[in-house]
Amino acid sequence: MTTTMDQRTGEVTYLEAISQALDEEMTRDERVFLMGEDIGTYGGAFKITEGFLQKYGEWRVLDTPLAESGFVGAAIGAAMMGLRPVVEMQFADFISCAFDQITEVAAKNHYRWGAAVPLVIRAPFGGGVHGGPFHSECPEGWFFHSPGLKLVAPSTPYDAKGLLKAAIRDPNPVIYFEHKFLYRRIKAVLPQEDYIVPIGKADVKRTGTDISVVTYGAMVHLALEAAQVLAQEGIDIEVVDLRTLIPLDKETIYASVRKTSKAIMLHEDNKTGGIGAEIAALLAEECFDCLDGPIVRIAAPDTPVPFSTPLEEFFLPKTSDIVSAARKLAAY
Amino acid sequence: MTTTMDQRTGEVTYLEAISQALDEEMTRDERVFLMGEDIGTYGGAFKITEGFLQKYGEWRVLDTPLAESGFVGAAIGAAMMGLRPVVEMQFADFISCAFDQITEVAAKNHYRWGAAVPLVIRAPFGGGVHGGPFHSECPEGWFFHSPGLKLVAPSTPYDAKGLLKAAIRDPNPVIYFEHKFLYRRIKAVLPQEDYIVPIGKADVKRTGTDISVVTYGAMVHLALEAAQVLAQEGIDIEVVDLRTLIPLDKETIYASVRKTSKAIMLHEDNKTGGIGAEIAALLAEECFDCLDGPIVRIAAPDTPVPFSTPLEEFFLPKTSDIVSAARKLAAY
Amino acid sequence: MSALPNEQTLAVVEGHAGVLNGPLALEVVMDVAVSAQEIKRADLLQMYYYLRLTRTLEDRVTALYRQGRIVGGCYTSHGMEAIAVGYASALERDDVIAPFHRDMGAFLVRGITPGEVLAQYLGKRTGPTNGKDGNVHMGDLKRGIIGFVSHLADNLPVATGAALAFKIRGERRVVFTGTGDGGTSRGDFHEAMNFAAVRKLPVVIFCNNNQYAYSTPVRYQMAITDVVERAKAYGMPGEIVDGNDVAAVYLASKRAIARARDGGGPTFLEFKTMRMHGHSEHDPAKYVPRELLEEWKKKDPILKAEHLLTQLGYGDEAAFREAGERAKKEVEAGLDFAERSPLPEGPEALEGVFAERADSE
Amino acid sequence: MSALPNEQTLAVVEGHAGVLNGPLALEVVMDVAVSAQEIKRADLLQMYYYLRLTRTLEDRVTALYRQGRIVGGCYTSHGMEAIAVGYASALERDDVIAPFHRDMGAFLVRGITPGEVLAQYLGKRTGPTNGKDGNVHMGDLKRGIIGFVSHLADNLPVATGAALAFKIRGERRVVFTGTGDGGTSRGDFHEAMNFAAVRKLPVVIFCNNNQYAYSTPVRYQMAITDVVERAKAYGMPGEIVDGNDVAAVYLASKRAIARARDGGGPTFLEFKTMRMHGHSEHDPAKYVPRELLEEWKKKDPILKAEHLLTQLGYGDEAAFREAGERAKKEVEAGLDFAERSPLPEGPEALEGVFAERADSE
Ligand SMILES: Cc1ncc(C[n+]2csc(CCOP(=O)(O)OP(=O)(O)O)c2C)c(N)n1
Ligand SMILES: Cc1ncc(C[n+]2csc(CCOP(=O)(O)OP(=O)(O)O)c2C)c(N)n1
Ligand SMILES: [Mg+2]
Ligand SMILES: [Mg+2]
């Protein structure tokens, strides 16, 4: 199994945290099983399920034909019959091929005729990995606008493990956005005992008094970096990590902005129609009185993710973008 | 042909305006051709292309197999080879089956490798027709967050005709959202001569000084109705009809809100992550100084479209919702 | 009802295929009668009743539609009732179906009552979807029915997944699903057929080939005459079955179900039939040649079943009339129930987007 | 290069199928040689050059990848070069291709230079996508190449649409497209095959059956051995072709192209081959049995072509060496060009989302 931790520090990577969650849930609950392309023999394109086939056998770790709509549909059927499928998109980008099954079948079954669909779709997403337009996408914005789905996007190994366990135990279809850039770049010591991170709870990753930066996924780390820079200038940033995108933890967001009176929305997804728009709209409606400045959005521009390094670097939000936006907003 | 007008008044319906646009463009430009389910022999589920098969022949009016991904993909290919395909979704709801072709192929080809895709997808959308969860959807929110697509959504026969012509002449993939509820419910006298409504230009359907209602599609008519009620109370509503959803006409929106200082976003699509969120976010960032009250959103709740009449009536935004929101906002 | 050997062959049900192209001939009915002897008298009579019940119920729906009392789509199985009645009757209680929009008989056989169906059509809270969805868009896991999704063929992958669950758990349960000739053109048909075959899943997939998809004739849908050709391309056995002969449907389904239950994997069944009404009740279907309808009228599934029952000595005119009256009573009682049922209240629109817990918990 | 009659049959190319299962035997090469006499000497020698050019270029890419100078995916056609070189050589200038990710030879034959390919890999502004996309994700309508989309089989419907445009305009142009054994499992494969057949479009659709899709062997991809079985299910002729024999690929493609051009509709070609490297260059492919690779190494397309050329008296060791050196020079010059080319500037990321005008205007 890849779920080996650093012997010296006891730390595991974000990637290993995901493996651990899958492994523990499969051991805990024999209804949990996995489907996807190359997840068995090969252990998955990112090796998250390495060793799982040997441990759980080929009927709990199914290598599927190359057919995202087909295997997501199959997962829906298995879920309705009482199993707990976790399917892997090889890259989140290919989720477009299963879009119809996710939005029209999985998302609507319970509302329409009362059938729960306890399904988890793992979607390795995001850029910064030289993947180009089809291996770097952030598709969460589409599903954010599809009632009936829950969406989570962890930023740390702790959250990655806890949210995946919570997703597997949830009776609804959950899309689990795992950021590829973080896989091997961040580590943490995780609790020995079983834990979950509840779906629907944001987490203040840094408290501050001047500006709230509301974000999720890999961008949390940029926000924290920017906060360090800004702290030296006396600007005290609060970093709200949404963790769950649907259902949104409005209370935590509102509480933060009521305190700071200023807000920056930050995401790697395209700007127009992104999740930042919704949160800005909520604040402009529900917290209008407490706002002391415009609601600022920092996001990728409205283009596909370009391949070449200078283009991708230009495309992705940067720490410096946050720093300069925060300076302007602080001075407002 | 269905494109016959009322002999007495010279008026045509919204539906007939669409037919006329298709007919005139097919006559004007022999590269224009149609594909879709049952559009030939049957003239389309809504009879928009009635008589077209006889007039233009079976290679310009193609009844396709029941395969949205396949025929949208084919339209992309034909468009790249120099034709001007217009495809019909029988109901906008089935566009989910072609989602991958639209977002990954049509939308990205020009950015990725410079290939223009002059394609129009007609999507009969919206509720109020007792269609239930699969014949009433408003899918525009998904495509609003897909760089590379243009989106239009006319509210009047004039705009319906002019925008469809502009869409057909545009070198990019355009999704044309035609509201089923309006098909036979609104009429107008149209110009004799050829005209287009330019893509990217909003239209102030009613000028007013107190509150801007920013909306599109069938909701424009609700906003106008509400404005009449509110006028009697001395509240003067400005109704901004977006007409084009992408690219947004930010100037017209900003100019309206700079004048009124108060804004209501109104749409029939689900609230969370809808187009109203983006516009609210734009206003909260770009027009923050001119706002004299919270930005209010009126939209359908975050559920599928329910079938039964009392449920659907509850679900859809109503004139009274606008009236009461405007009253509150006016008093703010 | 013995299981057939698992031959991986493309077989045409002996003696039935001939029925398809000629008018109803006595010799053919004789052939059917021979194999129909495998079916218990009571089972066959019950299927006959369900044919009558389906017809009566759907005719009632059509009448209500014409009176403007039903809004939205009205898709009936008029002239195709034998398919759903036949296959649903061939299943065991613990099996599961994922029907398509011309399978009213299957809903009824599995225990959805005419009253519930009418309540569904009328948008009442007592319908299987509590007014959330309409007409044939209904399901109920407790009765082993996966709810129909408009998007054609979407439920085929879903059905394979239900079968996968049975296979993973080692349960001897079978899933029965299908779509129309039009629905076979969708990618999801392909992905489901392929996955079922690769994993040898206990699922039967049928095509109701009623020669039209809305106004589109089969020749614009596919460049083959028999959809069953496709089975072989997935490495799956397939059969052509006379979809208007409830006994033939029942027997072919039984064989396929037995094969699936015994670990022999999926089967594809092509039920040949004809759509006798418009696509939905609003559609006069002028695009269908009158002669074609005339020809198929003679092959009406109820007529056929009566011939067969007479042939076998299981029923006579009196029995048929009695069944018709019983069906009528049941439907009228159902309508009464539906009409007296309450509509949902507006705010119920907000309920049920998310599940609080899964059904199996 | 005569067009074959339009028989709607499932044919195995005579004398070629045998090559697939045994080691390279002289008798078989003889057979190929017989039909290969149909091919002009110069054409065959040019194909040989493109085989060498493809191999040399991709080996260079692999080396650059190992040196860490290329980031992202590196999908090569190592051991499968004959397919793309063969089919692209069989097309006319005005025809169009929609290649998949193992078709480097087709890009080269249609005029994308090694320099452009390397610029593309290095993210330079001089690559066919100006740095917007990477590696094999390139296209250029001016050279009749529809750009590859990662999402496998997505370009199959697109290719049918290009063919439809030719049919609508009455042009005698043909589209050639295909995908891998894995890609055939996608719904879009089905929808494209079906549409092509229903409308008898001038398109040739191939499957590069290299026995694996990433780590997934064909038996987990489909329950049939020969993908060509599927052609029949759409009412389309199909052939199995030795994908390692450039002459066989060329001749089968010529026949299919001629049929399409003459209004005979689409053909499906299954090119049997073997993926000799990992899925992408990062993948050691330990899941592939060593013996399988040993066996297929003997069937290397370059080796095969050399046998054939020798057999026909069209070339000898010296000529082969000369071609190899020429290829090497061309690739090195290309690398020089690519390395000296500028990277795009950051703000170019914002350009090109929308077209200002369509290409045909
Ligand atoms: C994906 C999709 N596209 C379009 C439709 C609209 N539609 C509903 S039924 C139908 C025709 C179905 O034909 P067929 O599958 O042959 O079934 P039949 O109605 O003939 O029984 C169409 C086009 C749909 N339901 N789903
Ligand atoms: C729709 C889709 N899903 C997943 C992938 C990821 N992926 C890229 S190549 C590949 C395997 C392709 O196998 P095959 O079609 O046999 O082509 P080969 O690489 O063997 O030539 C996979 C799974 C993809 N590109 N597209
Ligand atoms: Mg049909
Ligand atoms: Mg392969």
Side-chain angles (χ1 to χ4, degrees):
Chain A
M1 317 287 289
T2 49
T3 55
T4 51
M5 53 185 177
D6 186 314
Q7 291 304 327
R8 198 171 38 81
T9 62
E11 287 178 321
V12 299
T13 61
Y14 182 91
L15 185 147
E16 289 160 350
I18 296 170
S19 282
Q20 278 189 7
L22 289 174
D23 187 21
E24 290 175 21
E25 289 301 296
M26 289 183 78
T27 299
R28 186 188 62 80
D29 182 350
E30 66 170 18
R31 297 171 308 174
V32 179
F33 78 104
L34 315 181
M35 281 203 281
E37 292 151 6
D38 308 295
I39 63 164
T41 310
Y42 195 65
F46 297 102
K47 299 287 178 188
I48 293 214
T49 53
E50 188 153 43
F52 279 56
L53 178 66
Q54 291 73 6
K55 185 164 176 185
Y56 297 105
E58 73 161 336
W59 291 97
R60 289 186 73 196
V61 185
L62 278 98
D63 273 331
T64 63
L66 203 161
E68 284 78 6
S69 190
F71 70 70
V72 168
I76 294 169
M80 291 195 297
M81 292 302 124
L83 294 184
R84 292 292 177 274
V86 181
V87 304
E88 176 179 295
M89 292 289 142
Q90 198 156 83
F91 286 80
D93 312 57
F94 304 126
I95 205 166
S96 54
C97 299
F99 188 82
D100 172 57
Q101 283 287 345
I102 297 171
T103 59
E104 302 299 321
V105 189
K108 294 186 176 148
N109 269 355
H110 192 265
Y111 184 79
R112 291 177 49 240
W113 57 285
V117 182
L119 158 69
V120 178
I121 299 174
R122 289 182 36 236
F125 80 129
V129 296
H130 308 290
F134 297 128
H135 291 75
S136 313
E137 290 180 52
C138 289
E140 65 271 22
W142 292 327
F143 301 103
F144 188 70
H145 186 61
S146 305
L149 304 174
K150 295 188 179 180
L151 313 181
V152 299
S155 70
T156 65
Y158 180 89
D159 291 347
K161 184 169 180 181
L163 278 171
L164 185 47
K165 288 188 164 220
I168 291 170
R169 298 176 196 184
D170 196 280
N172 295 287
V174 182
I175 309 184
Y176 178 89
F177 290 99
E178 50 193 66
H179 204 294
K180 298 192 295 289
F181 185 83
L182 300 180
Y183 273 158
R184 295 185 168 84
R185 283 188 178 83
I186 55 169
K187 293 189 171 200
V189 179
L190 300 186
Q192 289 291 316
E193 56 300 341
D194 180 53
Y195 72 94
I196 65 155
V197 170
I199 293 179
K201 296 301 290 173
D203 186 38
V204 176
K205 284 279 186 316
R206 181 188 199 279
T207 53
T209 52
D210 296 334
I211 298 174
S212 301
V213 176
V214 183
T215 186
Y216 58 92
M219 291 292 122
V220 170
H221 301 280
L222 259 64
L224 291 170
E225 250 175 64
Q228 283 203 327
V229 176
L230 290 159
Q232 287 156 18
E233 309 173 11
I235 303 172
D236 192 15
I237 299 291
E238 174 145 315
V239 178
V240 180
D241 178 2
L242 290 173
R243 298 199 296 196
T244 293
L245 309 178
I246 297 277
L248 272 178
D249 182 359
K250 295 180 192 172
E251 281 60 48
T252 302
I253 301 167
Y254 295 167
S256 176
V257 177
R258 286 208 184 93
K259 181 175 66 172
T260 61
S261 305
K262 288 178 177 170
I264 293 175
M265 311 292 117
L266 168 66
H267 56 66
E268 187 188 322
D269 194 1
N270 302 115
K271 184 174 182 185
T272 297
I275 293 173
E278 176 65 26
I279 297 171
L282 287 170
L283 291 172
E285 183 159 9
E286 309 286 341
C287 297
F288 182 73
D289 289 324
C290 74
L291 289 172
D292 270 354
I295 304 173
V296 175
R297 282 186 294 164
I298 301 171
D302 293 330
T303 78
V305 188
F307 169 75
S308 186
T309 308
L311 301 178
E312 190 181 16
E313 277 174 4
F314 182 89
F315 172 89
L316 291 172
K318 278 163 284 297
T319 310
S320 58
D321 297 334
I322 309 167
V323 170
S324 60
R327 279 185 193 139
K328 253 173 81 180
L329 192 55
Y332 187 88
Chain B
M1 317 286 291
T2 51
T3 54
T4 51
M5 54 184 175
D6 187 315
Q7 292 304 328
R8 198 173 37 81
T9 62
E11 289 179 321
V12 300
T13 61
Y14 181 92
L15 185 146
E16 288 159 352
I18 296 170
S19 283
Q20 279 189 6
L22 289 175
D23 187 21
E24 291 175 18
E25 289 301 298
M26 288 183 78
T27 298
R28 186 189 61 81
D29 182 352
E30 65 169 18
R31 297 171 308 173
V32 180
F33 77 104
L34 314 180
M35 282 203 279
E37 291 150 7
D38 308 296
I39 63 164
T41 311
Y42 195 65
F46 296 102
K47 300 287 178 188
I48 293 216
T49 54
E50 188 154 43
F52 279 55
L53 177 66
Q54 290 73 6
K55 184 163 176 186
Y56 297 106
E58 74 163 335
W59 291 97
R60 289 185 72 197
V61 185
L62 277 99
D63 273 329
T64 63
L66 204 162
E68 285 77 5
S69 189
F71 71 70
V72 168
I76 294 170
M80 291 194 299
M81 293 302 123
L83 294 185
R84 292 290 177 277
V86 180
V87 305
E88 176 179 293
M89 292 289 142
Q90 198 156 85
F91 285 80
D93 312 57
F94 304 127
I95 205 167
S96 55
C97 298
F99 188 82
D100 172 57
Q101 283 287 345
I102 298 170
T103 60
E104 303 299 321
V105 189
K108 295 186 175 148
N109 269 356
H110 192 265
Y111 184 79
R112 290 177 50 241
W113 58 284
V117 182
L119 157 69
V120 178
I121 299 175
R122 288 183 37 237
F125 81 130
V129 295
H130 308 290
F134 296 128
H135 291 74
S136 313
E137 291 180 52
C138 289
E140 65 271 23
W142 292 326
F143 300 103
F144 188 69
H145 185 61
S146 304
L149 304 175
K150 295 188 178 181
L151 313 181
V152 298
S155 70
T156 65
Y158 180 88
D159 291 346
K161 184 168 177 181
L163 278 170
L164 185 47
K165 288 188 164 221
I168 290 171
R169 298 177 197 183
D170 197 280
N172 294 286
V174 182
I175 310 184
Y176 178 88
F177 291 99
E178 50 192 66
H179 204 294
K180 299 191 296 287
F181 185 84
L182 301 179
Y183 274 156
R184 295 185 167 84
R185 284 188 178 84
I186 54 168
K187 293 190 171 198
V189 179
L190 299 187
Q192 289 290 317
E193 56 300 344
D194 180 52
Y195 72 95
I196 65 154
V197 170
I199 292 180
K201 296 302 291 173
D203 186 39
V204 177
K205 284 280 186 313
R206 181 189 199 278
T207 54
T209 52
D210 296 334
I211 297 174
S212 302
V213 176
V214 183
T215 186
Y216 59 93
M219 291 292 120
V220 169
H221 302 279
L222 260 64
L224 292 170
E225 249 175 64
Q228 284 204 325
V229 176
L230 290 159
Q232 287 155 19
E233 306 174 13
I235 303 173
D236 192 15
I237 299 291
E238 175 145 314
V239 178
V240 180
D241 178 1
L242 291 173
R243 298 199 297 195
T244 293
L245 309 178
I246 298 278
L248 271 178
D249 181 359
K250 294 181 194 173
E251 282 58 49
T252 302
I253 302 167
Y254 295 167
S256 176
V257 177
R258 285 208 184 95
K259 179 174 68 173
T260 60
S261 304
K262 287 178 178 170
I264 293 176
M265 311 293 118
L266 168 66
H267 56 66
E268 188 187 322
D269 193 0
N270 303 115
K271 184 175 182 184
T272 296
I275 293 172
E278 176 65 26
I279 297 171
L282 287 170
L283 292 172
E285 184 160 7
E286 310 285 340
C287 297
F288 182 72
D289 289 323
C290 74
L291 289 172
D292 269 354
I295 304 173
V296 176
R297 280 186 295 164
I298 301 172
D302 293 331
T303 76
V305 188
F307 169 75
S308 185
T309 308
L311 301 179
E312 191 182 16
E313 278 174 3
F314 182 89
F315 171 89
L316 292 172
K318 278 163 284 297
T319 309
S320 58
D321 297 335
I322 309 165
V323 170
S324 58
R327 279 186 193 139
K328 255 174 78 180
L329 192 55
Y332 186 89
Chain C
M1 336 251 195
S2 59
L4 262 200
N6 294 350
E7 352 94 304
Q8 299 274 325
T9 54
L10 193 74
V12 170
V13 187
E14 236 75 57
H16 290 208
V19 175
L20 298 172
N21 302 316
L24 191 82
L26 200 64
E27 314 86 67
V28 177
V29 176
M30 288 283 286
D31 282 350
V32 178
V34 172
S35 39
Q37 282 171 343
E38 287 185 47
I39 311 176
K40 280 198 217 117
R41 182 175 188 274
D43 289 346
L44 210 51
L45 283 170
Q46 193 174 44
M47 285 187 252
Y48 175 71
Y49 177 68
Y50 277 112
L51 292 177
R52 297 296 298 259
L53 186 62
T54 307
R55 174 77 53 92
T56 312
L57 173 59
E58 293 191 330
D59 281 353
R60 199 76 189 82
V61 167
T62 301
L64 289 169
Y65 176 82
R66 298 217 171 113
Q67 293 161 18
R69 289 168 67 199
I70 282 176
V71 287
C74 263
Y75 317 95
T76 75
S77 61
H78 196 108
M80 301 165 277
E81 296 91 341
I83 298 170
V85 168
Y87 83 69
S89 300
L91 290 162
E92 303 294 328
R93 192 191 185 80
D94 281 346
D95 294 335
V96 166
I97 63 172
F100 96 126
H101 61 280
R102 309 250 181 236
D103 284 356
M104 182 56 75
F107 288 107
L108 296 173
V109 169
R110 291 200 75 86
I112 306 270
T113 65
E116 287 174 286
V117 172
L118 289 160
Q120 167 85 355
Y121 265 102
L122 295 173
K124 297 301 182 80
R125 197 197 274 133
T126 52
T129 67
N130 312 123
K132 293 281 179 56
D133 209 334
N135 53 66
V136 288
H137 298 85
M138 55 192 171
D140 180 3
L141 285 183
K142 283 187 207 71
R143 288 178 274 197
I145 305 169
I146 293 179
F148 173 63
V149 181
S150 266
H151 298 60
L152 288 170
D154 271 20
N155 260 350
L156 267 46
V158 174
T160 66
L164 175 64
F166 300 158
K167 181 135 185 172
I168 289 177
R169 287 196 300 244
E171 293 168 357
R172 285 174 53 80
R173 295 163 72 187
V174 173
V175 183
F176 214 103
T177 191
T179 190
D181 41 293
T184 64
S185 297
R186 286 252 1 267
D188 276 15
F189 170 82
H190 175 69
E191 299 192 7
M193 290 284 284
N194 191 46
F195 187 59
V198 168
R199 291 286 176 171
K200 276 204 154 207
L201 300 176
V203 60
V204 184
I205 302 177
F206 70 84
C207 172
N208 168 324
N209 184 351
N210 62 9
Q211 309 185 45
Y212 284 86
Y214 210 148
S215 71
T216 306
V218 169
R219 73 173 179 285
Y220 277 136
Q221 199 68 244
M222 58 189 86
I224 51 177
T225 320
D226 299 319
V227 192
V228 79
E229 289 279 342
R230 299 219 160 139
K232 215 178 156 192
Y234 299 100
M236 198 190 285
E239 278 188 26
I240 293 176
V241 184
D242 177 358
N244 282 26
D245 179 346
V246 75
V249 171
Y250 177 85
L251 290 169
S253 301
K254 273 277 177 196
R255 283 191 294 275
I257 292 164
R259 176 182 298 138
R261 209 183 298 288
D262 293 345
T267 303
F268 181 73
L269 299 178
E270 177 180 2
F271 296 129
K272 300 267 194 194
T273 185
M274 177 68 207
R275 202 192 69 207
M276 301 300 289
H277 278 196
H279 168 61
S280 166
E281 293 303 309
H282 73 268
D283 166 24
K286 295 198 191 124
Y287 47 80
V288 178
R290 182 154 298 277
E291 312 79 63
L292 196 61
L293 292 172
E294 292 302 330
E295 179 195 326
W296 280 86
K297 209 168 173 179
K298 296 185 206 126
K299 305 182 202 165
D300 184 87
I302 293 180
L303 230 61
K304 270 206 175 185
E306 289 176 356
H307 273 280
L308 178 64
L309 287 167
T310 312
Q311 190 77 16
L312 293 168
Y314 291 173
D316 57 11
E317 274 304 321
F320 303 154
R321 205 169 34 245
E322 190 274 331
E325 275 154 22
R326 193 151 56 90
K328 193 150 181 250
K329 262 197 210 121
E330 198 178 337
V331 169
E332 291 311 316
L335 184 56
D336 190 50
F337 162 81
E339 283 177 330
R340 284 184 297 101
S341 291
L343 285 165
E345 308 268 349
E348 291 170 34
L350 301 179
E351 295 168 10
V353 174
F354 290 112
E356 294 304 319
R357 52 194 195 79
D359 296 292
S360 54
E361 268 151 11
Chain D
M1 338 249 195
S2 60
L4 262 199
N6 294 350
E7 350 94 306
Q8 299 275 325
T9 53
L10 194 73
V12 170
V13 187
E14 237 76 55
H16 290 208
V19 176
L20 298 172
N21 302 314
L24 191 81
L26 201 64
E27 312 86 70
V28 177
V29 176
M30 288 284 286
D31 281 350
V32 177
V34 171
S35 39
Q37 284 171 341
E38 288 185 48
I39 312 176
K40 279 198 217 118
R41 183 175 187 275
D43 289 347
L44 209 52
L45 282 170
Q46 193 173 45
M47 285 187 251
Y48 175 71
Y49 177 67
Y50 276 112
L51 291 177
R52 297 297 298 260
L53 186 61
T54 307
R55 176 76 53 90
T56 311
L57 173 59
E58 292 191 330
D59 280 354
R60 200 74 190 83
V61 167
T62 301
L64 289 169
Y65 177 82
R66 298 220 170 111
Q67 295 161 17
R69 290 167 66 198
I70 282 177
V71 287
C74 265
Y75 316 95
T76 76
S77 61
H78 196 108
M80 301 166 279
E81 295 91 342
I83 298 171
V85 168
Y87 83 69
S89 301
L91 289 162
E92 303 294 328
R93 190 191 185 80
D94 280 347
D95 295 334
V96 166
I97 63 170
F100 96 126
H101 59 279
R102 309 246 182 241
D103 284 356
M104 183 56 75
F107 287 107
L108 295 174
V109 170
R110 290 199 77 84
I112 305 270
T113 65
E116 286 175 286
V117 172
L118 288 161
Q120 166 86 353
Y121 265 101
L122 295 174
K124 297 301 181 79
R125 197 196 274 134
T126 52
T129 67
N130 311 122
K132 293 282 179 54
D133 209 335
N135 53 65
V136 289
H137 298 86
M138 54 191 171
D140 180 1
L141 286 184
K142 283 187 207 70
R143 287 178 274 198
I145 305 169
I146 294 180
F148 173 63
V149 181
S150 266
H151 298 61
L152 289 169
D154 271 20
N155 261 350
L156 268 47
V158 174
T160 66
L164 175 64
F166 300 157
K167 181 135 184 174
I168 288 177
R169 288 196 298 243
E171 295 168 356
R172 285 172 54 80
R173 295 164 70 188
V174 173
V175 183
F176 215 103
T177 191
T179 189
D181 41 293
T184 65
S185 297
R186 286 253 1 265
D188 275 16
F189 170 82
H190 175 69
E191 299 192 7
M193 290 284 284
N194 192 46
F195 187 59
V198 168
R199 291 287 175 170
K200 276 203 155 207
L201 300 177
V203 59
V204 184
I205 301 177
F206 70 84
C207 172
N208 168 323
N209 184 350
N210 61 10
Q211 310 186 44
Y212 283 86
Y214 210 148
S215 71
T216 305
V218 169
R219 72 174 180 284
Y220 278 137
Q221 199 69 244
M222 60 189 84
I224 51 177
T225 320
D226 299 320
V227 191
V228 79
E229 289 278 342
R230 299 218 161 139
K232 215 178 156 190
Y234 298 100
M236 199 189 285
E239 278 188 27
I240 292 177
V241 184
D242 177 358
N244 282 27
D245 179 347
V246 75
V249 171
Y250 177 84
L251 290 170
S253 300
K254 273 277 176 197
R255 283 190 294 275
I257 291 163
R259 177 183 296 137
R261 209 183 298 287
D262 294 344
T267 302
F268 181 74
L269 298 178
E270 177 179 1
F271 296 128
K272 300 268 194 194
T273 186
M274 177 69 206
R275 201 191 69 207
M276 301 301 288
H277 278 196
H279 168 61
S280 166
E281 293 304 308
H282 74 269
D283 166 23
K286 294 198 191 121
Y287 47 81
V288 178
R290 182 154 297 277
E291 313 79 62
L292 196 61
L293 292 172
E294 292 302 332
E295 180 195 325
W296 279 85
K297 208 166 173 179
K298 297 185 206 126
K299 305 183 203 165
D300 183 88
I302 293 180
L303 229 60
K304 272 205 176 190
E306 290 176 357
H307 272 281
L308 178 64
L309 287 167
T310 312
Q311 190 78 19
L312 292 168
Y314 291 174
D316 58 11
E317 274 305 322
F320 303 154
R321 206 171 33 244
E322 191 274 331
E325 274 154 21
R326 193 151 55 91
K328 194 152 180 250
K329 260 195 212 127
E330 198 178 338
V331 169
E332 292 311 316
L335 184 57
D336 189 49
F337 163 81
E339 282 177 330
R340 284 184 297 102
S341 291
L343 285 165
E345 308 267 348
E348 291 171 33
L350 301 179
E351 295 168 11
V353 174
F354 290 112
E356 294 304 319
R357 52 193 197 81
D359 295 293
S360 54
E361 268 150 12

